[in-house]
Amino acid sequence: MPHHVFTRQALYDRVWAEPICTVARSLGVSDVGLAKACRAADIPTPPRGWWAKLQHCKPLPPKPPLPDRPNHPDRVVIAPSTPKPPPSPAVETAMDEAADGPQIIVPDDLRGAHAIVHGWVARDAKHRSDYRRQGWGTGGLEDLSTPLARRRLRLTSALLKGLAARGFELGEDREWLFVRRGEDRVFFRLYARSKIEHRPATADELSWYPERKTVRATVPAGDLMLKIRDWLSVPTEYRELKTPLEGQLTRIVVNLAAGVAEQAERRRQRARETERWAAAEAVRKKQVAYGEAQGALRDRLVAQAARRQQAQAIRAYILAADGSPAAAGEDYAGWRAWALAEADALDPLLDGSAPFNRLPSLEDWEWRGW
């Protein structure tokens, strides 16, 4: 889809004329993407509930004006995102096979948790014990005893067990987990989502910045989120906007299985492309070597013709010398024999250095340089 270019005033008028979801649909973008573009261009948008209040004739807050931005461009580009390609037949087959596996049930506690999750809990306990023994305190460590943290551990354990039951290998790489089959793997992470809030500044913060009455702080949002790191045709982000993650685990497992199959397909495609490139490179190198061989043969032909011409010039000179007064000298016969020998030595037709051959065609030419 084509890009859309607006002035800030035109986009401001557009998003205040109809709901932002309607505007986004007409432009071929998501409402989140359009709202992000408006924030980047410092364009105010209607607050939540604006259109419902307008529809029911309820009092509305004042409409904020469009702020000036003299040192910034007045152009806003809305670029529709590239749609993800549909899953291939191999990926769909992997999804069907994963969907036939057992239903994923989240346990009520961490008894019998997956080995990776059990390792997290054990490491956390060891870290806390080491920190207390050193007198460092545990304020900087993640608290795995909170209800949200325990829920994340239980969900992660159930997810890992569901993947293991379908024959996948599992592992971790720093804060990311991965599911693997053979050479192909997909990275994912289940974590507690955070959000930014404005809180009142503390007395210490006010002593440094008296004009700042509030401070932006990152606080827990109270829900969980699963993110797949790799770019795939299946969804790569799972939130709890409408359905808790407990109800999405089976679909997540199916999509992770599809992601592994998609990575395998991409790897095979890269291998095929590498083979095609190697074959084309071998042909190119052979063509270059064939041209160099033709050039060497041509240079040898030119050199042989030049030597033949020199030999004929010497013989012509000897014939001319035979009729000169110098031919009566007593050493002339010896010189004449030496000169004829030199001419014969230069003549490629006499010393056997002029084989009359040529290169075969490129297809029939044997070359072992690849």
Side-chain angles (χ1 to χ4, degrees), residues 79-85 231:
S81 58
T82 303
K84 291 185 176 181
W231 193 89

Side-chain angles (χ1 to χ4, degrees), residues 85-345:
S88 65
V91 174
E92 291 180 347
T93 301
M95 296 175 71
D96 295 338
E97 292 175 354
D100 292 337
Q103 192 73 13
I104 299 177
I105 300 175
V106 181
D108 296 330
D109 52 45
L110 290 174
R111 288 178 296 182
H114 190 273
I116 291 179
V117 175
H118 182 74
W120 291 350
V121 176
R123 284 197 298 270
D124 177 70
K126 185 178 184 304
H127 286 163
R128 290 181 177 277
S129 175
D130 294 342
Y131 274 45
R132 291 191 187 96
R133 186 168 57 253
Q134 298 293 336
W136 295 339
T138 58
L141 297 177
E142 180 185 4
D143 189 1
L144 297 183
S145 63
T146 64
L148 185 62
R150 305 297 285 186
R151 177 170 171 253
R152 180 177 69 86
L153 294 176
R154 290 188 291 108
L155 282 168
T156 303
S157 177
L159 182 61
L160 294 175
K161 285 187 171 183
L163 290 166
R166 288 160 173 81
F168 290 99
E169 303 174 48
L170 303 165
E172 55 181 327
D173 183 7
R174 299 183 182 179
E175 73 272 15
W176 292 92
L177 297 169
F178 62 82
V179 53
R180 178 175 61 193
R181 179 168 285 168
E183 303 178 38
D184 313 298
R185 59 182 179 176
V186 172
F187 288 87
F188 65 95
R189 180 182 171 213
L190 197 157
Y191 58 95
R193 194 172 62 87
S194 301
K195 63 180 180 180
I196 296 178
E197 288 185 349
H198 289 267
R199 61 167 175 79
T202 63
D204 186 49
E205 291 167 341
L206 287 173
S207 66
W208 286 94
Y209 304 100
E211 71 282 0
R212 296 185 182 178
K213 305 304 180 184
T214 61
V215 177
R216 295 179 65 183
T218 302
V219 298
D223 58 356
L224 299 174
M225 178 176 177
L226 187 138
K227 178 73 175 178
I228 297 177
R229 191 176 72 181
D230 305 272
W231 193 89
L232 302 170
S233 59
V234 297
T236 56
E237 189 174 284
Y238 303 87
R239 295 189 175 189
E240 299 186 300
L241 300 176
K242 297 181 180 179
T243 305
L245 284 182
E246 284 84 350
Q248 304 181 53
L249 287 186
T250 300
R251 183 164 60 92
I252 291 173
V253 167
V254 170
N255 288 340
L256 284 172
V260 174
E262 188 171 337
Q263 296 287 52
E265 193 169 318
R266 289 179 182 174
R267 175 177 53 81
R268 289 190 292 267
Q269 177 65 23
R270 287 194 298 269
R272 289 192 293 268
E273 290 175 356
T274 301
E275 290 176 0
R276 287 195 295 267
W277 178 87
E281 184 68 7
V283 170
R284 186 192 67 81
K285 288 183 177 180
K286 185 176 181 180
Q287 290 173 340
V288 171
Y290 188 79
E292 292 175 350
Q294 283 184 319
L297 201 60
R298 186 182 305 109
D299 292 342
R300 188 176 70 172
L301 174 63
V302 172
Q304 289 169 345
R307 289 172 58 193
R308 171 69 175 173
Q309 188 174 7
Q310 289 174 353
Q312 290 177 332
I314 292 174
R315 294 189 184 103
Y317 178 72
I318 293 172
L319 289 177
D322 288 344
S324 67
E330 60 181 63
D331 292 335
Y332 179 77
W335 173 86
R336 189 177 191 281
W338 169 80
L340 286 174
E342 288 295 317
D344 292 343

